[in-house]
Amino acid sequence: MAPKENVDIAKERKSCSFDKRELTWLLDGGRDASERRKRMEEYILSQPGMYEGIGAYDFLSHEDRYTKSIEKGAKMLQLCLKADEVLGDGYQYEAMRMFNFPTLSGAVIPDGNPFNLHFVMFLTTLTEFAKMAPEENVDIAKERKSCSFDKRELTWLLDGGRDASERRKRMEEYILSQPGMYEGIGAYDFLSHEDRYTKSIEKGAKMLQLCLKADEVLGDGYQYEAMRMFNFPTLSGAVIPDGNPFNLHFVMFLTTLTGQGTLEQQTEWLGRAWNCEIIGTYAQTEIGHGTFLRGLETKAEYDPTTEEFVFNTPRLSATKWWPGSLGKTANYAIVPAHLYIHGVNYGMHTFIVQLRREEDHTSMPGITIGEIGPKYGMNSNDNGFLHLKNVRVPRKNMMMKHAQVLPDGTYVKPQNAKLSYGTMIFVRVVISQEVVMQLQKAVTIAVRYSAVRRQSKIEPEEAEVQVIDFVTQQFKLFPAIASVFAIHFAAAALWDDYLEVTASMGDGNLDRLPEVLFS
């Protein structure tokens, strides 16, 4: 357990150059106001069940979270309404104010007070319900009719040609027409963390089967396009809206096997991985470091007597933290670690480490593994943690396409030390394309909403103005729209460069390697 007061916090507090009490009184509106606030907080928080600590709601389902908030909110409301009776005149007003602001209320109901709008808006102003909008909003229809260019040609340009657009649409129709694939916006909103993950695994597995059969159903060449869409947040995002739990298996685990493994290693691992007989992830990020590879602390020490690497995460900061699919899904991982031979550090190398038994999915000896829990996003992806203690891995599990360790411990250097960065370079190129797709979604939502939302009258006899017609709104929207196109074509050019450079590297030409390393 951590000490009651962190030493760094204590040091900073002692070095404070002003009277903290006076600042508190200033912010509260006076010394008396501070005393009343503290008395009110003590009155509420001392009641049983009011304050339950940080994280009390984290693992609750949406329904349980709401039920708990209603119960606690009702109890807190009763206490607030009795504040004059318990604490003295004038306290009820202060109590109700604190009930509706996220200070005291936020400590009791950390994820939003369900009674807030009743007091803040309903009781303040009673309004009529807005009439339902027509099926096609008239403002959206007007904006679409006034378009000055051919929307189809722009679509073809972004897709890479008319044929590419037709193939994409056919692929989308094939997947989304299957029962249970597309469930509409908000289908995951009321699920618990566990149910969200389970549903995503089921739908992801079904979508994967459909993608692998795409050539058979739609014709030659469709499987490649299907697998690409499976791993990007376009079609996949419509089916699994909160992150694909198989994404790292295909984007990083398989990529490492292909780019860093020898032909023998690929023969052993690639087929099983492609058929999902095993599921892998990429466990690089640690609590202490992520992209700063030299700072990673995981060690792989070679034991020539058994021809094995002995893996350890020697301290808490070395624990692998955040890799997707690590928490529950994967039974293998590509693990970057510092290679030690006879006490000499040969730098960062990658290894295949078995995490869980294939028979029953239980953890292998020396491995402590689990899920890190709910996050702000991507909650269908089971990001996890991994601690290694004297975990033995066969020599053949080191990725040896570029660097090798011979049975006696002799180290064979790669042609270029940066070649081991290949997987992360690929992923960064892919991320540049994913960024475009996410920005496309965001800009589309913002533009459509700005077209249908009306706010304020300029002329008394005219209708309220569309938000998109405000110059200040255009200053926000139009640069974002332009950025989508700029990043789209930059990402496409980067992808072409990556393919050219990796092809030339396959022929032994490393002259253009810096282009992809530092793009």
Side-chain angles (χ1 to χ4, degrees), residues 308-494:
E308 293 174 313
F309 298 100
V310 183
F311 276 75
N312 281 284
T313 46
R315 54 188 62 84
L316 179 63
S317 57
T319 302
K320 300 295 183 181
W321 184 269
W322 204 261
S325 305
L326 181 62
K328 298 177 181 179
T329 309
N331 47 15
Y332 286 85
I334 298 293
V335 178
H338 284 282
L339 169 63
Y340 282 82
I341 304 174
H342 303 307
V344 178
N345 185 356
Y346 286 90
M348 191 60 57
H349 292 71
T350 52
F351 306 80
I352 298 178
V353 177
Q354 185 173 359
L355 308 174
R356 297 176 171 99
R357 295 177 179 86
E358 294 184 32
E359 301 79 24
D360 57 12
H361 213 60
T362 55
S363 301
M364 297 295 289
I367 285 180
T368 303
I369 192 170
E371 192 192 6
I372 65 174
K375 310 171 293 293
Y376 281 118
M378 300 290 286
N379 278 299
S380 297
N381 206 326
D382 53 317
N383 296 72
F385 64 87
L386 171 65
H387 185 78
L388 302 155
K389 185 174 182 180
N390 296 325
V391 175
R392 289 186 168 267
V393 174
R395 184 183 66 88
K396 67 183 181 67
N397 282 27
M398 174 181 161
M399 295 287 95
M400 294 197 193
K401 183 175 183 177
H402 303 298
Q404 293 90 40
V405 174
L406 303 183
D408 64 356
T410 301
Y411 179 72
V412 181
K413 293 195 301 183
Q415 188 177 357
N416 187 309
K418 301 296 189 295
L419 289 171
S420 61
Y421 298 168
T423 302
M424 293 308 296
I425 294 170
F426 169 78
V427 170
R428 278 154 176 72
V429 173
V430 169
I431 287 173
S432 71
Q433 296 181 316
E434 287 198 6
V435 165
V436 176
M437 297 171 187
Q438 300 290 9
L439 187 56
Q440 285 172 334
K441 292 180 184 180
V443 166
T444 300
I445 292 168
V447 170
R448 286 179 178 172
Y449 182 74
S450 297
V452 302
R453 179 76 164 94
R454 289 178 173 269
Q455 177 72 39
S456 303
K457 290 186 176 184
I458 304 300
E459 299 295 337
E461 67 279 2
E462 295 181 0
E464 292 184 68
V465 180
Q466 287 174 268
V467 170
I468 199 169
D469 289 335
F470 285 101
V471 175
T472 51
Q473 186 73 352
Q474 293 173 5
F475 282 161
K476 298 179 179 72
L477 289 178
F478 295 170
I481 296 171
S483 296
V484 168
F485 289 94
I487 300 172
H488 171 87
F489 292 112
L494 183 60

Side-chain angles (χ1 to χ4, degrees), residues 197 201 208 245-250 253 272-282 324-326 328-334 353-356 358 361 382:
Y197 167 75
I201 285 287
L208 179 58
F246 297 102
N247 191 253
L248 262 70
H249 173 72
F250 287 98
F253 185 74
R272 299 184 68 212
W274 180 258
N275 293 327
C276 293
E277 296 170 26
I278 59 173
I279 300 294
T281 184
Y282 193 90
S325 305
L326 181 62
K328 298 177 181 179
T329 309
N331 47 15
Y332 286 85
I334 298 293
V353 177
Q354 185 173 359
L355 308 174
R356 297 176 171 99
E358 294 184 32
H361 213 60
D382 53 317

Side-chain angles (χ1 to χ4, degrees), residues 257-286:
L257 292 175
T258 304
Q260 306 289 317
T262 63
L263 287 176
E264 292 79 7
Q265 289 173 322
Q266 292 178 26
T267 300
E268 179 178 356
W269 298 100
L270 266 181
R272 299 184 68 212
W274 180 258
N275 293 327
C276 293
E277 296 170 26
I278 59 173
I279 300 294
T281 184
Y282 193 90
Q284 174 174 305
T285 302
E286 300 174 358

Side-chain angles (χ1 to χ4, degrees), residues 145-326:
K145 286 179 182 177
S146 65
C147 182
S148 60
F149 56 86
D150 189 327
K151 297 185 287 292
R152 294 175 306 167
E153 289 190 1
L154 179 59
T155 302
W156 299 338
L157 176 65
L158 293 173
D159 281 339
R162 183 171 182 172
D163 289 344
S165 289
E166 294 301 325
R167 290 173 67 86
R168 172 181 59 79
K169 290 178 181 178
R170 194 175 177 206
M171 189 68 225
E172 290 171 349
E173 183 180 354
Y174 164 59
I175 296 293
L176 298 179
S177 64
Q178 304 297 320
M181 282 288 96
Y182 180 65
E183 299 179 279
I185 296 171
Y188 278 43
D189 289 354
F190 289 85
L191 298 180
S192 68
H193 182 74
E194 181 66 28
D195 290 343
R196 187 175 297 220
Y197 167 75
T198 302
K199 189 181 187 75
S200 298
I201 285 287
E202 292 171 353
K203 294 183 73 176
K206 184 175 180 180
M207 183 179 176
L208 179 58
Q209 290 175 332
L210 292 169
C211 291
L212 292 174
K213 293 178 181 177
D215 276 2
E216 178 185 334
V217 177
L218 301 175
D220 291 343
Y222 272 94
Q223 188 191 86
Y224 169 80
E225 182 65 23
M227 291 305 297
R228 186 173 181 275
M229 296 172 82
F230 179 76
N231 287 298
F232 277 97
T234 46
L235 179 57
S236 175
V239 176
I240 312 170
D242 206 14
N244 186 341
F246 297 102
N247 191 253
L248 262 70
H249 173 72
F250 287 98
V251 174
M252 299 193 75
F253 185 74
L254 276 165
T255 300
T256 305
L257 292 175
T258 304
Q260 306 289 317
T262 63
L263 287 176
E264 292 79 7
Q265 289 173 322
Q266 292 178 26
T267 300
E268 179 178 356
W269 298 100
L270 266 181
R272 299 184 68 212
W274 180 258
N275 293 327
C276 293
E277 296 170 26
I278 59 173
I279 300 294
T281 184
Y282 193 90
Q284 174 174 305
T285 302
E286 300 174 358
I287 289 178
H289 297 88
T291 54
F292 178 49
L293 294 181
R294 284 176 294 162
L296 297 177
E297 299 175 89
T298 302
K299 293 182 176 181
E301 300 180 73
Y302 184 63
D303 181 356
T305 62
T306 60
E307 294 189 30
E308 293 174 313
F309 298 100
V310 183
F311 276 75
N312 281 284
T313 46
R315 54 188 62 84
L316 179 63
S317 57
T319 302
K320 300 295 183 181
W321 184 269
W322 204 261
S325 305
L326 181 62

Side-chain angles (χ1 to χ4, degrees), residues 88-108:
D89 290 343
Y91 271 95
Q92 188 191 88
Y93 170 80
E94 182 65 24
M96 291 305 298
R97 185 174 179 275
M98 296 173 81
F99 179 76
N100 286 298
F101 278 92
T103 46
L104 179 57
S105 175
V108 176

